[in-house]
Every structure is written in C-alpha cells, then in structure tokens.
C-alpha cells in the first residue's frame, strides 16, 4: 500500500522542518505540502526538503487547503492518506500506528485522539477553553450520531483511498469545520472508524485558532449535525 502524508501549510516557517524531520521516512512513500499562500518563508523552507510542493495563489483556508491535498495525493496513487499539520502540534512518529489498522483491513479511517493520551490534551498545554469546547462538541456529536469518539476536533487523520473517493469532500467548508463535516459523511456512509492515542503540543510557534474562530466553528458544527440528524443531509 502506498502511504502519502499531506501537510496543509499556512505560515508554518517555524515548525515545518522539525515536523518533516520527525516523519518516519521508512513508513511513508510520498510527502505532499500544499502552501495556502503563506506570508512567511514556508515555501522557501519547503523547497529545501525532498517533498512535493503545491502553492495556492490565494489563501483558501484550512478546508480548501485539504481539498487540494487529497486531490493531489489521490492523483499520485496513494492508498492511505495521512493528514499531518505542519505546526508540530501532532507527533509525526505516530504515523505507522495511524495507518496500521487500515493496512490490516480493520478500519477505513483512523483518528489520532489527544484525549485518549495519558494526561489528555491538558498534558500538551491545550488551553482549557479549547478542551472544554472539544469535550462539548465531541459529546454532542456522539449523542446525535450514536458514535463513541473522544476527540472529533483532531487534525491527525488517516484516510483510506476508498473513503476519500466516496465522500463528497469538495462540498465541505473551506474553513475549520472541514474535518468534522467529513466525519458526518463517513458515519453516514457506515465507514469503520478507529481512534488511537496521540500526544499534542501547544507551543508558542504552533499555528492555533482564536477564541472567536472556535465559537463560530462550534455553532456551525452544531447546526450541521442537527441538520444531518433531522434531514440526513451531510
Ligand atoms: N489558520 C489557518 N491555518 C491554515 C490555513 N490554511 C492551512 N492551514 C493549516 O491548517 C493547520 C491547522 O490550522 P491551526 O490554525 O493550527 O488550527 P487548528 O489546529 O485546527 O487549531 P488548534 O488546535 O488551535 O491548533 C495548520 O497546520 C495551518 O498551517 C488558513 O487559511 N488558516
Ligand atoms: Mg494547530
């Protein structure tokens, strides 16, 4: 199976190289970075690395960036696609564990849960209000979708090719709710999901969303889940 790592990048100059260095190269066949019109030296730094780079002429947003990531990874023949944020908040060394259940045919999607990790996201210095928001949204999702997720806001996800070829991800938001909208589509298609424990790290150089981003994100998702529950529309 061909394993591709995709990195949606926006102003990741301070964290890109250490994220790349920690990727276990023997476990990965293709590394793709899509730059979302960064205003810093992200592209210059990326060009020094043996990876495939695509550059957006204008900023499309977290979700819009991912759409390009998955289009390119599938075009390049990937069988498993791992989403890895280049802000060094997720541990790249967990990639082999992330893809294993898919390689074994036991799961279609694997989520890296920061809440399953010993000490939870608190041990990674995730701000308390993000932890609270995450707990609220995850509980709400589980209540409405009948699922047992522990961290639906994770940005560390391994998709099998079959999933990305089946769900209409181009319909999803170009913003921060892309991942969760994809979760609704995956659940509604009956794909098998699995979670593994991953550490997180909230450092000063990491890209992070503001409080207002999180409020609008929570409201939009609460509406999307309710709409799905009431109408089946994903
Ligand atoms: N903020 C932001 N990030 C983008 C954009 N396009 C791509 N990204 C990348 O998307 C990833 C996630 O963005 P973050 O700002 O870290 O948001 P997040 O990880 O959901 O939120 P935190 O958990 O607070 O870090 C980062 O690796 C960014 O480099 C964009 O337009 N805005
Ligand atoms: Mg981040």
């Amino acid at each position: 199976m061909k394993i591709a790592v995709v990195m949606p990048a926006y102003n990741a100059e301070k964290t890109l190289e250490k994220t790349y260095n920690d990727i276990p190269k023997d476990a990965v066949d293709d590394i793709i970075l899509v730059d979302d019109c960064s205003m810093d030296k992200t592209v210059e730094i990326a060009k020094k690395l043996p990876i495939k780079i695509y550059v957006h002429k204008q900023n499309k947003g977290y979700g819009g960036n991912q759409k390009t990531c998955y289009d390119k990874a599938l075009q390049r023949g990937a069988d498993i696609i791992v989403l890895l944020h280049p802000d060094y908040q997720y541990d790249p060394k967990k990639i082999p564990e992330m893809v294993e259940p898919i390689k074994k045919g036991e799961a279609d999607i694997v989520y890296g849960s920061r809440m399953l990790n010993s000490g939870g996201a608190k041990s990674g210095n995730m701000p308390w209000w993000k932890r609270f928001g995450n707990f609220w949204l995850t509980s709400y999702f589980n209540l409405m979708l009948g699922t047992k997720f522990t961290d639906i806001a994770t940005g560390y996800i391994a998709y099998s090719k079959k999933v990305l070829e089946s769900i209409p991800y181009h319909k999803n938001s170009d913003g921060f709710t892309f991942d969760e909208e994809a979760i609704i589509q995956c659940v509604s298609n009956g794909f098998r999901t699995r979670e593994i424990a991953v550490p997180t790290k909230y450092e000063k150089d990491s890209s992070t969303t503001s409080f207002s981003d999180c409020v609008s994100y929570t409201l939009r998702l609460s509406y999307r889940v309710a709409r799905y529950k009431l109408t089946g529309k994903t």
Side-chain angles (χ1 to χ4, degrees):
M1 283 192 148
K2 182 172 179 181
I3 314 286
V5 172
V6 296
M7 296 193 279
Y10 182 64
N11 300 338
E13 71 178 3
K14 294 199 182 80
T15 53
L16 171 56
E17 203 158 357
K18 54 184 174 181
T19 306
Y20 169 80
N21 290 342
D22 281 6
I23 296 174
K25 306 305 181 289
D26 56 346
V28 170
D29 306 289
D30 199 10
I31 301 175
I32 298 166
L33 179 134
V34 175
D35 179 74
D36 208 12
C37 204
S38 294
M39 299 176 280
D40 65 3
K41 294 190 178 56
T42 298
V43 174
E44 269 154 78
I45 290 166
K47 282 186 174 150
K48 293 191 196 117
L49 305 171
I51 63 177
K52 183 66 186 165
I53 306 164
Y54 300 93
V55 179
H56 283 164
K57 291 204 174 29
Q58 65 183 80
N59 177 260
K60 293 191 178 174
Y62 174 60
N65 189 312
Q66 283 191 61
K67 294 175 185 177
T68 307
C69 287
Y70 301 137
D71 290 352
K72 299 301 178 190
L74 292 170
Q75 274 166 27
R76 294 167 62 84
D79 297 302
I80 302 178
I81 299 99
V82 182
L83 170 70
L84 176 67
H85 292 185
D87 63 2
Y88 205 53
Q89 274 180 323
Y90 297 93
D91 183 359
K93 297 192 196 77
K94 287 279 184 177
I95 291 171
E97 266 180 77
M98 291 282 291
V99 300
E100 195 58 23
I102 300 176
K103 281 171 119 176
K104 285 190 186 153
E106 296 165 358
D108 302 310
I109 311 139
V110 177
Y111 297 95
S113 170
R114 297 161 293 178
M115 306 310 171
L116 282 178
N117 193 51
S118 63
K122 190 165 185 231
S123 62
N125 302 322
M126 181 192 279
W128 71 266
W129 52 272
K130 272 184 192 252
R131 294 199 312 271
F132 176 75
N134 188 317
F135 175 75
W136 149 255
L137 261 180
T138 301
S139 311
Y140 176 68
F141 255 68
N142 288 336
L143 187 68
M144 299 291 264
L145 300 181
T147 47
K148 291 189 175 57
F149 291 110
T150 59
D151 179 5
I152 58 107
T154 181
Y156 205 2
I157 307 169
Y159 292 101
S160 65
K161 168 182 164 179
K162 171 177 78 174
V163 171
L164 291 178
E165 288 178 337
S166 315
I167 65 170
Y169 62 81
H170 275 280
K171 258 186 27 181
N172 295 350
S173 156
D174 281 347
F176 283 106
T177 57
F178 178 96
D179 300 329
E180 291 80 3
E181 290 168 18
I183 291 179
I184 297 171
Q185 289 158 344
C186 293
V187 169
S188 71
N189 279 282
F191 285 119
R192 300 162 303 158
T193 63
R194 173 82 63 85
E195 287 187 321
I196 70 157
V198 296
T200 189
K201 251 199 297 259
Y202 277 73
E203 298 173 326
K204 67 173 181 36
D205 294 340
S206 305
S207 170
T208 192
T209 44
S210 66
F211 184 74
S212 59
D213 283 338
C214 288
V215 172
S216 59
Y217 154 95
T218 304
L219 294 175
R220 180 182 161 87
L221 277 178
S222 304
Y223 160 72
R224 291 294 294 253
V225 172
R227 187 184 73 175
Y228 170 68
K229 188 77 181 171
L230 297 171
T231 69
K233 198 165 176 298
T234 60

